[in-house]
Amino acid sequence: MPYQFIFRRAKLAIAAPLALGVTAVFAPGAAMAQSYSPDVLQVSETGAIAFDPSPQLDLADGGAIEFWVAASWSGDPGYDPPVVINIGPEGILYQVSVLRERDGLVFANANDEDVFIADLSDGNLHHVAVNIMQDGLEVYVDGELVGTSELMPMSLPSAGLFVGGIEPDNSANLDGAIAQLRFWSQPLEQQEIVDFRLRDVLDANSEDHPAAEFLAAQSDFRAGELLVVESMETLP
């Protein structure tokens, strides 16, 4: 049965040039035979971008964050470059960053952080999925479970969602690329992560994502937008 999403286009809160050149390449072992190519934000060129807050992005009650990331730096930048940050006046709801040595990921909230080891040092795009369960996190890199944690996003007021950093002038931002950012209102199964990391949620050429009804938002970096799902409709 065919479906369509009704999206609300989240307002871009930080102005940044969005002429995006796709120069990052996929990691070995990714499903290169498939024709799908995720939309890529070259943070090295644009600087950080941010979007207005939305309840669908808070995730304190569970869900998932999915994205591709390429870490292009070589020397120690002196900080752990951020991929996505949801922050408000009372602190960080959640933040996912790449370790400065490119040997893993950090998940943080206003009170604590935890580290998940994975080799991201080749400069290629790698797929990351963070499942937010009732009792903690599962973190997957390129479809493989790399760690778990008891941390959860905080239930705090949000001032906005930041992608690639928090300053538009490249201060403490990610040097590299971020692609196909998706938010879900329910955790994903590992096989769903593997099968759909290089497919659209609604696939005109095959089956739709089994968790399509739980999609909360997805990026359209080519247009400089974050598309927040308002409803899902059945087509005749």
Side-chain angles (χ1 to χ4, degrees):
M1 186 177 295
Y3 297 94
Q4 70 173 358
F5 290 118
I6 306 300
F7 289 112
R8 171 173 55 82
R9 298 176 186 271
K11 180 182 176 183
L12 185 66
I14 292 183
L18 288 166
L20 308 181
V22 181
T23 59
V25 295
F26 286 100
M32 294 299 293
Q34 301 187 46
S35 59
Y36 175 76
S37 178
D39 62 321
V40 178
L41 175 71
Q42 294 286 358
V43 185
S44 306
E45 300 174 9
T46 67
I49 59 174
F51 300 95
D52 285 343
S54 172
Q56 288 99 314
L57 307 177
D58 291 350
L59 304 182
D61 295 326
I65 310 169
E66 216 185 346
F67 56 84
W68 293 81
V69 63
S72 299
W73 65 93
S74 54
D76 184 350
Y79 57 92
D80 297 326
V83 178
V84 58
I85 309 170
N86 197 335
I87 190 171
E90 297 179 21
I92 295 171
L93 287 72
Y94 56 83
Q95 175 175 336
V96 183
S97 301
V98 178
L99 286 171
R100 64 193 67 191
E101 299 293 338
R102 302 191 297 172
D103 56 355
L105 299 161
V106 181
F107 183 93
N109 59 27
N111 293 334
D112 209 348
E113 65 180 33
D114 219 337
V115 169
F116 306 88
I117 299 301
D119 186 3
L120 306 174
S121 62
D122 58 9
N124 295 334
L125 280 166
H126 291 270
H127 184 263
V128 175
V130 180
N131 268 344
I132 300 157
M133 323 290 281
Q134 291 185 343
D135 56 355
L137 307 175
E138 297 176 340
V139 178
Y140 295 83
V141 176
D142 296 329
E144 297 293 329
L145 180 66
V146 298
T148 61
S149 170
E150 295 182 356
L151 282 185
M152 292 284 290
M154 302 290 286
S155 181
L156 297 173
S158 173
L161 181 83
F162 294 77
V163 178
I166 206 165
E167 298 291 342
D169 61 358
N170 290 320
S171 172
N173 291 343
L174 182 137
D175 179 8
I178 300 167
Q180 198 55 82
L181 178 61
R182 292 172 176 164
F183 295 86
W184 303 83
S185 61
Q186 176 171 293
L188 301 173
E189 299 291 337
Q190 183 173 13
Q191 198 59 50
E192 295 170 351
I193 294 168
V194 172
D195 290 346
F196 279 85
R197 55 190 174 148
L198 275 174
R199 288 170 62 182
D200 285 312
V201 175
L202 300 184
D203 192 335
N205 300 313
S206 185
E207 296 180 357
D208 294 338
H209 197 298
E213 64 184 298
F214 302 110
L215 182 70
Q218 67 180 23
S219 63
D220 183 0
F221 290 135
R222 298 181 182 94
E225 294 178 334
L226 184 68
L227 307 177
V228 179
V229 177
E230 295 216 317
S231 64
M232 185 179 183
E233 294 187 353
T234 303
L235 298 177

